[in-house]
PDB file of all heavy atoms in Angstrom:
ATOM      1  N   SER A1110     -53.344 -11.866  82.686  1.00 40.00           N
ATOM      2  CA  SER A1110     -54.408 -12.842  82.449  1.00 40.00           C
ATOM      3  C   SER A1110     -53.964 -13.883  81.447  1.00 40.00           C
ATOM      4  O   SER A1110     -53.092 -13.658  80.622  1.00 40.00           O
ATOM      5  CB  SER A1110     -55.656 -12.114  81.926  1.00 40.00           C
ATOM      6  OG  SER A1110     -55.390 -11.527  80.688  1.00 40.00           O
ATOM      7  N   ARG A1136     -47.203  -7.006  37.144  1.00 92.00           N
ATOM      8  CA  ARG A1136     -48.118  -5.918  36.826  1.00 92.00           C
ATOM      9  C   ARG A1136     -47.333  -4.737  36.258  1.00 92.00           C
ATOM     10  O   ARG A1136     -46.149  -4.569  36.548  1.00 92.00           O
ATOM     11  CB  ARG A1136     -48.878  -5.454  38.075  1.00 92.00           C
ATOM     12  CG  ARG A1136     -49.628  -6.522  38.808  1.00 92.00           C
ATOM     13  CD  ARG A1136     -50.224  -5.949  40.082  1.00 92.00           C
ATOM     14  NE  ARG A1136     -51.213  -4.917  39.806  1.00 92.00           N
ATOM     15  CZ  ARG A1136     -51.661  -4.048  40.710  1.00 92.00           C
ATOM     16  NH1 ARG A1136     -51.162  -4.070  41.939  1.00 92.00           N
ATOM     17  NH2 ARG A1136     -52.561  -3.142  40.383  1.00 92.00           N
ATOM     18  N   SER A1153     -49.770 -13.652  53.287  1.00 91.00           N
ATOM     19  CA  SER A1153     -49.638 -12.310  52.724  1.00 91.00           C
ATOM     20  C   SER A1153     -48.985 -12.409  51.350  1.00 91.00           C
ATOM     21  O   SER A1153     -48.454 -13.452  50.973  1.00 91.00           O
ATOM     22  CB  SER A1153     -48.800 -11.408  53.637  1.00 91.00           C
ATOM     23  OG  SER A1153     -49.337 -11.358  54.935  1.00 91.00           O
ATOM     24  N   PHE A1154     -49.036 -11.290  50.615  1.00 93.00           N
ATOM     25  CA  PHE A1154     -48.294 -11.228  49.363  1.00 93.00           C
ATOM     26  C   PHE A1154     -47.387 -10.010  49.382  1.00 93.00           C
ATOM     27  O   PHE A1154     -47.697  -8.980  49.993  1.00 93.00           O
ATOM     28  CB  PHE A1154     -49.224 -11.211  48.142  1.00 93.00           C
ATOM     29  CG  PHE A1154     -50.158 -10.040  48.068  1.00 93.00           C
ATOM     30  CD1 PHE A1154     -49.750  -8.810  47.565  1.00 93.00           C
ATOM     31  CD2 PHE A1154     -51.472 -10.162  48.491  1.00 93.00           C
ATOM     32  CE1 PHE A1154     -50.611  -7.735  47.476  1.00 93.00           C
ATOM     33  CE2 PHE A1154     -52.344  -9.095  48.409  1.00 93.00           C
ATOM     34  CZ  PHE A1154     -51.908  -7.875  47.908  1.00 93.00           C
ATOM     35  N   ASP A1201     -55.264  -2.995  51.430  1.00 86.00           N
ATOM     36  CA  ASP A1201     -56.610  -3.035  51.974  1.00 86.00           C
ATOM     37  C   ASP A1201     -57.507  -3.942  51.145  1.00 86.00           C
ATOM     38  O   ASP A1201     -57.481  -3.929  49.914  1.00 86.00           O
ATOM     39  CB  ASP A1201     -57.204  -1.622  52.004  1.00 86.00           C
ATOM     40  CG  ASP A1201     -56.350  -0.660  52.820  1.00 86.00           C
ATOM     41  OD1 ASP A1201     -55.731  -1.139  53.790  1.00 86.00           O
ATOM     42  OD2 ASP A1201     -56.294   0.536  52.476  1.00 86.00           O
ATOM     43  N   GLY A1208     -68.902 -17.984  48.011  1.00 90.00           N
ATOM     44  CA  GLY A1208     -69.835 -18.838  47.287  1.00 90.00           C
ATOM     45  C   GLY A1208     -69.278 -20.205  46.960  1.00 90.00           C
ATOM     46  O   GLY A1208     -70.035 -21.117  46.627  1.00 90.00           O
ATOM     47  N   TRP A1235     -67.428 -13.803  38.698  1.00 94.00           N
ATOM     48  CA  TRP A1235     -67.893 -12.789  39.642  1.00 94.00           C
ATOM     49  C   TRP A1235     -67.835 -11.410  38.987  1.00 94.00           C
ATOM     50  O   TRP A1235     -66.939 -11.126  38.198  1.00 94.00           O
ATOM     51  CB  TRP A1235     -67.021 -12.761  40.903  1.00 94.00           C
ATOM     52  CG  TRP A1235     -66.845 -14.072  41.599  1.00 94.00           C
ATOM     53  CD1 TRP A1235     -65.879 -14.994  41.359  1.00 94.00           C
ATOM     54  CD2 TRP A1235     -67.664 -14.593  42.637  1.00 94.00           C
ATOM     55  NE1 TRP A1235     -66.030 -16.072  42.196  1.00 94.00           N
ATOM     56  CE2 TRP A1235     -67.130 -15.854  42.997  1.00 94.00           C
ATOM     57  CE3 TRP A1235     -68.801 -14.136  43.309  1.00 94.00           C
ATOM     58  CZ2 TRP A1235     -67.684 -16.642  43.989  1.00 94.00           C
ATOM     59  CZ3 TRP A1235     -69.362 -14.920  44.295  1.00 94.00           C
ATOM     60  CH2 TRP A1235     -68.811 -16.158  44.624  1.00 94.00           C
ATOM     61  N   PRO A1339     -42.773 -32.751  34.058  1.00 94.00           N
ATOM     62  CA  PRO A1339     -43.914 -31.863  33.782  1.00 94.00           C
ATOM     63  C   PRO A1339     -43.486 -30.415  33.566  1.00 94.00           C
ATOM     64  O   PRO A1339     -42.515 -29.926  34.136  1.00 94.00           O
ATOM     65  CB  PRO A1339     -44.778 -31.991  35.046  1.00 94.00           C
ATOM     66  CG  PRO A1339     -44.368 -33.284  35.660  1.00 94.00           C
ATOM     67  CD  PRO A1339     -42.924 -33.466  35.337  1.00 94.00           C
ATOM     68  N   PHE A1345     -43.120 -16.094  26.718  1.00 95.00           N
ATOM     69  CA  PHE A1345     -42.578 -15.734  25.414  1.00 95.00           C
ATOM     70  C   PHE A1345     -41.896 -14.376  25.493  1.00 95.00           C
ATOM     71  O   PHE A1345     -42.388 -13.465  26.188  1.00 95.00           O
ATOM     72  CB  PHE A1345     -43.700 -15.679  24.365  1.00 95.00           C
ATOM     73  CG  PHE A1345     -44.321 -17.001  24.057  1.00 95.00           C
ATOM     74  CD1 PHE A1345     -45.408 -17.446  24.792  1.00 95.00           C
ATOM     75  CD2 PHE A1345     -43.828 -17.793  23.037  1.00 95.00           C
ATOM     76  CE1 PHE A1345     -45.996 -18.669  24.505  1.00 95.00           C
ATOM     77  CE2 PHE A1345     -44.408 -19.015  22.746  1.00 95.00           C
ATOM     78  CZ  PHE A1345     -45.488 -19.461  23.478  1.00 95.00           C
ATOM     79  N   GLY A1392     -41.430  -6.258  26.326  1.00 91.00           N
ATOM     80  CA  GLY A1392     -40.582  -5.343  25.587  1.00 91.00           C
ATOM     81  C   GLY A1392     -39.167  -5.227  26.096  1.00 91.00           C
ATOM     82  O   GLY A1392     -38.416  -4.370  25.623  1.00 91.00           O
ATOM     83  N   GLY A1467     -22.859 -19.507  50.612  1.00 89.00           N
ATOM     84  CA  GLY A1467     -22.821 -20.647  49.704  1.00 89.00           C
ATOM     85  C   GLY A1467     -23.103 -21.968  50.385  1.00 89.00           C
ATOM     86  O   GLY A1467     -23.476 -22.051  51.550  1.00 89.00           O
ATOM     87  N   MET A1486     -20.536 -33.280  45.170  1.00 78.00           N
ATOM     88  CA  MET A1486     -19.512 -32.820  46.097  1.00 78.00           C
ATOM     89  C   MET A1486     -20.092 -32.002  47.240  1.00 78.00           C
ATOM     90  O   MET A1486     -19.345 -31.515  48.086  1.00 78.00           O
ATOM     91  CB  MET A1486     -18.480 -31.969  45.342  1.00 78.00           C
ATOM     92  CG  MET A1486     -17.847 -32.655  44.143  1.00 78.00           C
ATOM     93  SD  MET A1486     -16.931 -34.131  44.602  1.00 78.00           S
ATOM     94  CE  MET A1486     -15.608 -33.401  45.566  1.00 78.00           C
ATOM     95  N   PRO A1489     -23.444 -32.290  53.623  1.00 92.00           N
ATOM     96  CA  PRO A1489     -24.771 -32.322  54.265  1.00 92.00           C
ATOM     97  C   PRO A1489     -25.062 -31.004  54.981  1.00 92.00           C
ATOM     98  O   PRO A1489     -24.183 -30.146  55.135  1.00 92.00           O
ATOM     99  CB  PRO A1489     -24.643 -33.500  55.251  1.00 92.00           C
ATOM    100  CG  PRO A1489     -23.476 -34.293  54.783  1.00 92.00           C
ATOM    101  CD  PRO A1489     -22.539 -33.324  54.133  1.00 92.00           C
ATOM    102  N   HIS A1511     -21.163 -30.580  60.264  1.00 94.00           N
ATOM    103  CA  HIS A1511     -22.200 -31.013  59.338  1.00 94.00           C
ATOM    104  C   HIS A1511     -22.785 -32.346  59.786  1.00 94.00           C
ATOM    105  O   HIS A1511     -22.151 -33.108  60.525  1.00 94.00           O
ATOM    106  CB  HIS A1511     -21.635 -31.149  57.923  1.00 94.00           C
ATOM    107  CG  HIS A1511     -21.110 -29.856  57.366  1.00 94.00           C
ATOM    108  ND1 HIS A1511     -21.816 -29.082  56.465  1.00 94.00           N
ATOM    109  CD2 HIS A1511     -19.947 -29.189  57.594  1.00 94.00           C
ATOM    110  CE1 HIS A1511     -21.110 -28.010  56.157  1.00 94.00           C
ATOM    111  NE2 HIS A1511     -19.977 -28.051  56.823  1.00 94.00           N
ATOM    112  N   THR A1518     -15.899 -27.678  59.086  1.00 94.00           N
ATOM    113  CA  THR A1518     -15.476 -26.740  58.056  1.00 94.00           C
ATOM    114  C   THR A1518     -15.364 -25.333  58.630  1.00 94.00           C
ATOM    115  O   THR A1518     -15.993 -25.001  59.636  1.00 94.00           O
ATOM    116  CB  THR A1518     -16.484 -26.730  56.890  1.00 94.00           C
ATOM    117  OG1 THR A1518     -17.788 -26.399  57.396  1.00 94.00           O
ATOM    118  CG2 THR A1518     -16.539 -28.091  56.225  1.00 94.00           C
ATOM    119  N   TYR A1522     -16.523 -14.877  56.656  1.00 95.00           N
ATOM    120  CA  TYR A1522     -17.695 -14.007  56.536  1.00 95.00           C
ATOM    121  C   TYR A1522     -17.459 -12.874  55.549  1.00 95.00           C
ATOM    122  O   TYR A1522     -18.342 -12.529  54.763  1.00 95.00           O
ATOM    123  CB  TYR A1522     -18.063 -13.449  57.909  1.00 95.00           C
ATOM    124  CG  TYR A1522     -19.300 -12.578  57.899  1.00 95.00           C
ATOM    125  CD1 TYR A1522     -20.569 -13.151  57.926  1.00 95.00           C
ATOM    126  CD2 TYR A1522     -19.205 -11.190  57.859  1.00 95.00           C
ATOM    127  CE1 TYR A1522     -21.709 -12.371  57.906  1.00 95.00           C
ATOM    128  CE2 TYR A1522     -20.346 -10.395  57.835  1.00 95.00           C
ATOM    129  CZ  TYR A1522     -21.589 -10.992  57.859  1.00 95.00           C
ATOM    130  OH  TYR A1522     -22.718 -10.208  57.839  1.00 95.00           O
ATOM    131  N   CYS A1537      -8.676 -40.189  63.159  1.00 66.00           N
ATOM    132  CA  CYS A1537      -9.779 -40.589  62.285  1.00 66.00           C
ATOM    133  C   CYS A1537      -9.246 -40.743  60.871  1.00 66.00           C
ATOM    134  O   CYS A1537      -9.425 -39.879  60.006  1.00 66.00           O
ATOM    135  CB  CYS A1537     -10.913 -39.575  62.340  1.00 66.00           C
ATOM    136  SG  CYS A1537     -11.683 -39.424  63.965  1.00 66.00           S
ATOM    137  N   THR A1548     -20.283 -33.250  66.656  1.00 94.00           N
ATOM    138  CA  THR A1548     -21.575 -32.922  67.269  1.00 94.00           C
ATOM    139  C   THR A1548     -21.626 -31.507  67.837  1.00 94.00           C
ATOM    140  O   THR A1548     -22.718 -30.939  67.978  1.00 94.00           O
ATOM    141  CB  THR A1548     -21.896 -33.917  68.386  1.00 94.00           C
ATOM    142  OG1 THR A1548     -20.829 -33.898  69.346  1.00 94.00           O
ATOM    143  CG2 THR A1548     -22.049 -35.326  67.827  1.00 94.00           C
ATOM    144  N   SER A1564     -18.817 -37.443  68.373  1.00 92.00           N
ATOM    145  CA  SER A1564     -19.747 -38.411  68.944  1.00 92.00           C
ATOM    146  C   SER A1564     -19.027 -39.501  69.723  1.00 92.00           C
ATOM    147  O   SER A1564     -19.639 -40.206  70.525  1.00 92.00           O
ATOM    148  CB  SER A1564     -20.594 -39.036  67.836  1.00 92.00           C
ATOM    149  OG  SER A1564     -19.767 -39.702  66.886  1.00 92.00           O
ATOM    150  N   ASN A1673     -41.534 -30.819  76.753  1.00 93.00           N
ATOM    151  CA  ASN A1673     -40.934 -31.566  75.662  1.00 93.00           C
ATOM    152  C   ASN A1673     -39.465 -31.154  75.537  1.00 93.00           C
ATOM    153  O   ASN A1673     -38.979 -30.338  76.324  1.00 93.00           O
ATOM    154  CB  ASN A1673     -41.688 -31.326  74.353  1.00 93.00           C
ATOM    155  CG  ASN A1673     -41.620 -32.500  73.400  1.00 93.00           C
ATOM    156  OD1 ASN A1673     -40.604 -33.186  73.339  1.00 93.00           O
ATOM    157  ND2 ASN A1673     -42.697 -32.739  72.666  1.00 93.00           N
ATOM    158  N   ASN A1743     -38.070  -6.206  72.024  1.00 94.00           N
ATOM    159  CA  ASN A1743     -38.056  -6.223  73.486  1.00 94.00           C
ATOM    160  C   ASN A1743     -38.810  -4.991  73.985  1.00 94.00           C
ATOM    161  O   ASN A1743     -38.321  -3.872  73.898  1.00 94.00           O
ATOM    162  CB  ASN A1743     -36.611  -6.232  73.988  1.00 94.00           C
ATOM    163  CG  ASN A1743     -36.520  -6.377  75.490  1.00 94.00           C
ATOM    164  OD1 ASN A1743     -37.528  -6.457  76.193  1.00 94.00           O
ATOM    165  ND2 ASN A1743     -35.312  -6.414  76.003  1.00 94.00           N
ATOM    166  N   LEU A1752     -43.247  -7.034  85.401  1.00 86.00           N
ATOM    167  CA  LEU A1752     -42.822  -8.431  85.300  1.00 86.00           C
ATOM    168  C   LEU A1752     -43.042  -9.094  86.653  1.00 86.00           C
ATOM    169  O   LEU A1752     -42.358  -8.782  87.633  1.00 86.00           O
ATOM    170  CB  LEU A1752     -41.355  -8.514  84.886  1.00 86.00           C
ATOM    171  CG  LEU A1752     -41.030  -7.915  83.511  1.00 86.00           C
ATOM    172  CD1 LEU A1752     -39.550  -8.013  83.215  1.00 86.00           C
ATOM    173  CD2 LEU A1752     -41.834  -8.601  82.417  1.00 86.00           C
ATOM    174  N   GLU A1828     -35.018  34.735  99.846  1.00 80.00           N
ATOM    175  CA  GLU A1828     -36.040  35.696  99.486  1.00 80.00           C
ATOM    176  C   GLU A1828     -36.865  35.126  98.353  1.00 80.00           C
ATOM    177  O   GLU A1828     -36.409  34.251  97.598  1.00 80.00           O
ATOM    178  CB  GLU A1828     -35.425  37.023  99.063  1.00 80.00           C
ATOM    179  CG  GLU A1828     -34.440  36.933  97.906  1.00 80.00           C
ATOM    180  CD  GLU A1828     -33.818  38.267  97.567  1.00 80.00           C
ATOM    181  OE1 GLU A1828     -34.050  39.240  98.288  1.00 80.00           O
ATOM    182  OE2 GLU A1828     -33.109  38.313  96.551  1.00 80.00           O
ATOM    183  N   GLN A1856     -37.581  57.323  78.519  1.00 42.00           N
ATOM    184  CA  GLN A1856     -38.605  56.358  78.145  1.00 42.00           C
ATOM    185  C   GLN A1856     -39.955  56.710  78.735  1.00 42.00           C
ATOM    186  O   GLN A1856     -40.991  56.374  78.211  1.00 42.00           O
ATOM    187  CB  GLN A1856     -38.182  54.957  78.579  1.00 42.00           C
ATOM    188  CG  GLN A1856     -36.999  54.426  77.791  1.00 42.00           C
ATOM    189  CD  GLN A1856     -36.604  53.040  78.251  1.00 42.00           C
ATOM    190  OE1 GLN A1856     -37.221  52.493  79.168  1.00 42.00           O
ATOM    191  NE2 GLN A1856     -35.584  52.496  77.622  1.00 42.00           N
TER     192      GLN A1856
END
Side-chain angles (χ1 to χ4, degrees):
S1110 64
R1136 305 175 64 196
S1153 304
F1154 61 82
D1201 302 328
W1235 307 89
F1345 293 89
M1486 305 298 294
H1511 298 259
T1518 57
Y1522 182 81
C1537 297
T1548 57
S1564 60
N1673 209 325
N1743 185 359
L1752 298 178
E1828 57 182 6
Q1856 291 180 359

